[in-house]
Amino acid sequence: MTSANKKGALLFVGGLVLGGLVTNNHWSSIGNVAQHELDSVKDELAQSETKLSSAQQQMKELQTVLSENDINAAAHAELLVKNKEQIDSLRSTVDELTAKSSQGAVNIQSLEEQNNLQRDTISKLTSRLQNTDVLYADRYRLTRAVSDLNEQILKVSHKAETSQKACEEFKKGNSWNWVSEKDCKDFNEYRQQSNQLMSEFDDTSADLDKVKRELSAFGNLPYPAPLDDQKLATEERDTTP
């Protein structure tokens, strides 16, 4: 092979080697870029998977919270219903107690009025009882006094009548041994005594009538009725067993 041919062959072989190196470097560079991009994609995928797992975990937690909230909301709704029922029941009880309180106030007023009447009646009865002995003693004394005065009036009237006849005989001048002016004086005295006794008799009889009326009024005083027998004016008796 000539020198020129050898040189050409060397150049050809050198070109091939150089071309192979360039080609090899080119594909190696492309592989490195692809690997880098693949690694980057893997990293992004790993990060996405991590974020996805975190999001899924957060979603589960949120679903748990929402479920608990739903349970709590249902419980709260049920509690609200119960509270409303209790409030309505309490309002009804308060209304009932208020009505009973008002009725009780009316009944208390009625009982106080009845008690006042009873106290007044008892006071009158007590006063009458305290004066009973005095009234009966007065009636006995006045009755005896009226009887005595009546007897005295009869006696004086008889004496006055006798003296009057003697006085009239004396005035006529038909004087007997036992008829004198003294008979006229006696008649005047007896008449004065009779008038005085009659006046005293009238006063004593009036006092006796007053005592009798007081005793009669005492017997007619009503006794206070027991509270158990009294019916409240504004409330019917409870007949429930």
Side-chain angles (χ1 to χ4, degrees):
M1 179 178 293
T2 62
S3 171
N5 291 332
K6 288 182 180 181
K7 186 178 180 179
L10 290 172
L11 289 173
F12 178 76
V13 171
L16 290 173
V17 172
L18 181 60
L21 289 173
V22 171
T23 301
N24 184 46
N25 288 334
H26 175 71
W27 288 112
S28 176
S29 177
I30 291 174
N32 290 333
V33 170
Q35 185 64 40
H36 178 72
E37 290 180 352
L38 179 61
D39 292 338
S40 178
V41 169
K42 287 182 178 180
D43 290 339
E44 290 179 357
L45 179 60
Q47 292 177 2
S48 296
E49 289 177 349
T50 301
K51 290 180 180 181
L52 177 61
S53 177
S54 176
Q56 289 176 342
Q57 182 63 30
Q58 291 178 359
M59 183 176 293
K60 289 181 180 180
E61 293 176 356
L62 182 59
Q63 287 177 345
T64 301
V65 172
L66 290 175
S67 178
E68 292 177 353
N69 289 339
D70 289 340
I71 295 173
N72 292 335
H76 289 162
E78 183 179 358
L79 182 61
L80 286 175
V81 172
K82 290 182 179 180
N83 288 340
K84 185 178 182 303
E85 292 176 352
Q86 291 179 353
I87 290 172
D88 292 340
S89 176
L90 289 174
R91 284 177 178 172
S92 177
T93 301
V94 168
D95 292 340
E96 182 179 356
L97 291 175
T98 301
K100 288 184 177 179
S101 177
S102 301
Q103 186 65 50
V106 174
N107 292 338
I108 288 174
Q109 182 179 0
S110 176
L111 286 174
E112 288 179 349
E113 292 175 354
Q114 294 175 6
N115 286 337
N116 290 334
L117 292 175
Q118 285 191 331
R119 280 193 291 268
D120 182 63
T121 303
I122 291 172
S123 176
K124 291 180 180 178
L125 286 171
T126 302
S127 177
R128 294 293 184 181
L129 287 172
Q130 291 173 349
N131 296 329
T132 299
D133 292 340
V134 176
L135 289 173
Y136 278 109
D138 286 344
R139 187 181 70 173
Y140 176 78
R141 177 180 58 81
L142 291 171
T143 300
R144 289 291 303 270
V146 167
S147 178
D148 291 342
L149 286 170
N150 185 57
E151 185 176 352
Q152 292 178 30
I153 290 171
L154 291 175
K155 290 179 179 180
V156 171
S157 297
H158 178 68
K159 290 180 180 180
E161 183 180 357
T162 303
S163 298
Q164 183 181 12
K165 290 180 180 180
C167 180
E168 289 176 352
E169 291 293 332
F170 172 75
K171 289 180 179 180
K172 290 178 181 180
N174 298 327
S175 301
W176 299 337
N177 291 332
W178 54 273
V179 175
S180 65
E181 187 177 358
K182 184 177 180 299
D183 292 321
C184 292
K185 292 180 180 179
D186 290 342
F187 169 69
N188 291 331
E189 290 179 2
Y190 291 142
R191 184 172 60 182
Q192 290 178 359
Q193 289 181 12
S194 177
N195 291 335
Q196 184 179 354
L197 289 171
M198 288 294 295
S199 177
E200 188 177 352
F201 177 86
D202 291 339
D203 293 340
T204 306
S205 296
D207 292 339
L208 178 60
D209 290 338
K210 181 180 178 181
V211 170
K212 288 180 178 180
R213 285 194 300 270
E214 290 181 359
L215 288 172
S216 177
F218 167 77
N220 293 330
L221 280 178
Y223 287 90
L227 287 178
D228 292 341
D229 295 337
Q230 293 178 351
K231 187 175 183 180
L232 298 181
T234 56
E235 181 183 23
E236 296 294 334
R237 287 186 179 275
D238 185 8
T239 57
T240 56

